[in-house]
Amino acid sequence: MPNLFRFLARNALIGFCAAAFFVAVLAFADIGGFGTVIARSDSGPLAIGLLIYFLGLTFSSVQIGMVIMLDGRFPDDDEGPKGGKRRRLPGWLARPAARSPIMVPAPAPRPARAR
C-alpha cells in the first residue's frame, strides 16, 4: 500500500474515532436533551449512524489538514532535494524596480462664505 494512501487512511480513521467519541459523549451526557430524544426515537440508531458519519467526514478532513499543515510534507516526499529554485517572473508580472511619486496639483482653496 503506498505511503500516501496509508497516511490518509490512518488520519481519516483518527477523525472517525474522534467523531464517534464526540457523539458518545453528546448522547451519554444528554447535552441539550440529545440522548433522551435519541433513546425515545424509533430511528435512534439511524440518527446516531448519520451523525457519526457526517461528523466523521468533518473531523477526518480537519485531522488530515491539520497533520499536513503541521508537518509540511507527505510521507512520500523523503526523496530528492529539499526546497526549490527561484524562477524569475516575466517582465509584465514583476514589480517595478522603483516607484516615484506623481505630483498632482492641489485645487485652489475656496473662499469662505459669509454667514
Side-chain angles (χ1 to χ4, degrees), residues 6-20 56 60 63-64:
R6 200 171 342 160
F7 170 78
L8 292 175
R10 180 179 55 232
N11 287 300
L13 183 64
I14 291 170
F16 272 95
C17 290
S60 62
Q63 171 69 21
I64 290 170

Coordinates of all heavy atoms in Angstrom, one line a residue, residues 6-20 56 60 63-64:
R6 N -1.8 5.2 2.9 CA -1.7 4.8 4.3 C -1.8 6.0 5.3 O -2.5 6.0 6.3 CB -0.4 4.0 4.6 CG -0.5 3.2 5.8 CD 0.7 2.3 5.9 NE 1.4 2.1 4.6 CZ 2.6 1.7 4.4 NH1 3.4 1.4 5.5 NH2 3.2 1.7 3.2
F7 N -1.1 7.1 4.9 CA -1.2 8.3 5.7 C -2.6 8.9 5.7 O -3.1 9.2 6.8 CB -0.2 9.3 5.0 CG -0.3 10.7 5.5 CD1 0.3 11.1 6.7 CD2 -0.9 11.7 4.7 CE1 0.2 12.4 7.1 CE2 -1.0 13.0 5.2 CZ -0.4 13.3 6.4
L8 N -3.3 8.9 4.6 CA -4.6 9.5 4.6 C -5.6 8.6 5.3 O -6.5 9.0 6.1 CB -5.1 9.6 3.1 CG -4.4 10.7 2.3 CD1 -4.9 10.7 0.9 CD2 -4.6 12.1 2.9
A9 N -5.5 7.2 5.1 CA -6.4 6.3 5.8 C -6.2 6.3 7.3 O -7.2 6.3 8.1 CB -6.1 4.9 5.3
R10 N -5.0 6.4 7.8 CA -4.7 6.5 9.2 C -5.3 7.7 9.8 O -6.0 7.7 10.9 CB -3.2 6.4 9.5 CG -2.9 6.4 11.0 CD -1.4 6.3 11.2 NE -0.6 7.4 10.5 CZ 0.4 7.2 9.7 NH1 0.8 5.9 9.5 NH2 1.0 8.1 9.0
N11 N -5.1 8.9 9.2 CA -5.6 10.1 9.8 C -7.2 10.2 9.6 O -7.8 10.8 10.5 CB -4.9 11.3 9.1 CG -3.5 11.4 9.7 OD1 -3.3 11.6 10.9 ND2 -2.6 11.3 8.8
A12 N -7.7 9.6 8.6 CA -9.2 9.6 8.5 C -9.8 8.7 9.5 O -10.8 9.0 10.1 CB -9.6 9.1 7.1
L13 N -9.1 7.6 9.9 CA -9.6 6.7 10.9 C -9.5 7.5 12.3 O -10.4 7.3 13.1 CB -8.8 5.4 11.0 CG -9.2 4.4 12.0 CD1 -10.6 3.9 11.7 CD2 -8.2 3.3 12.1
I14 N -8.5 8.2 12.5 CA -8.4 9.0 13.7 C -9.6 10.0 13.8 O -10.2 10.2 14.9 CB -7.0 9.8 13.8 CG1 -5.9 8.8 14.0 CG2 -7.0 10.8 14.9 CD1 -4.5 9.3 13.9
G15 N -9.9 10.6 12.7 CA -11.0 11.6 12.7 C -12.3 10.9 12.9 O -13.2 11.4 13.6
F16 N -12.6 9.7 12.4 CA -13.8 9.0 12.6 C -13.9 8.5 14.1 O -15.0 8.5 14.6 CB -14.0 7.8 11.6 CG -14.7 8.2 10.3 CD1 -13.9 8.6 9.2 CD2 -16.0 8.3 10.3 CE1 -14.5 9.0 8.1 CE2 -16.7 8.7 9.1 CZ -15.9 9.0 8.0
C17 N -12.8 8.1 14.6 CA -12.8 7.7 16.1 C -13.1 8.9 16.9 O -13.9 8.8 17.9 CB -11.5 7.1 16.4 SG -11.2 5.5 15.7
A18 N -12.6 10.1 16.6 CA -12.9 11.3 17.4 C -14.4 11.6 17.2 O -15.0 12.1 18.2 CB -12.0 12.4 16.9
A19 N -14.9 11.4 16.1 CA -16.4 11.7 15.8 C -17.2 10.8 16.7 O -18.2 11.2 17.3 CB -16.7 11.6 14.4
A20 N -16.9 9.5 16.7 CA -17.6 8.5 17.5 C -17.6 8.8 18.9 O -18.6 8.8 19.7 CB -17.1 7.1 17.2
G56 N -17.8 12.4 11.2 CA -16.5 11.7 10.9 C -15.9 12.3 9.6 O -14.7 12.5 9.6
S60 N -12.4 14.0 10.1 CA -11.2 13.4 9.4 C -10.6 14.4 8.5 O -9.4 14.5 8.3 CB -11.6 12.1 8.7 OG -12.6 12.4 7.7
Q63 N -8.5 16.6 10.6 CA -7.4 15.9 11.1 C -6.3 15.8 10.0 O -5.1 16.1 10.2 CB -7.7 14.5 11.5 CG -6.6 13.6 11.8 CD -5.8 14.0 13.0 OE1 -6.3 14.7 13.9 NE2 -4.6 13.5 13.1
I64 N -6.7 15.5 8.8 CA -5.8 15.4 7.7 C -5.2 16.7 7.4 O -3.9 16.9 7.2 CB -6.5 14.8 6.4 CG1 -6.8 13.3 6.7 CG2 -5.6 14.9 5.2 CD1 -7.7 12.7 5.6

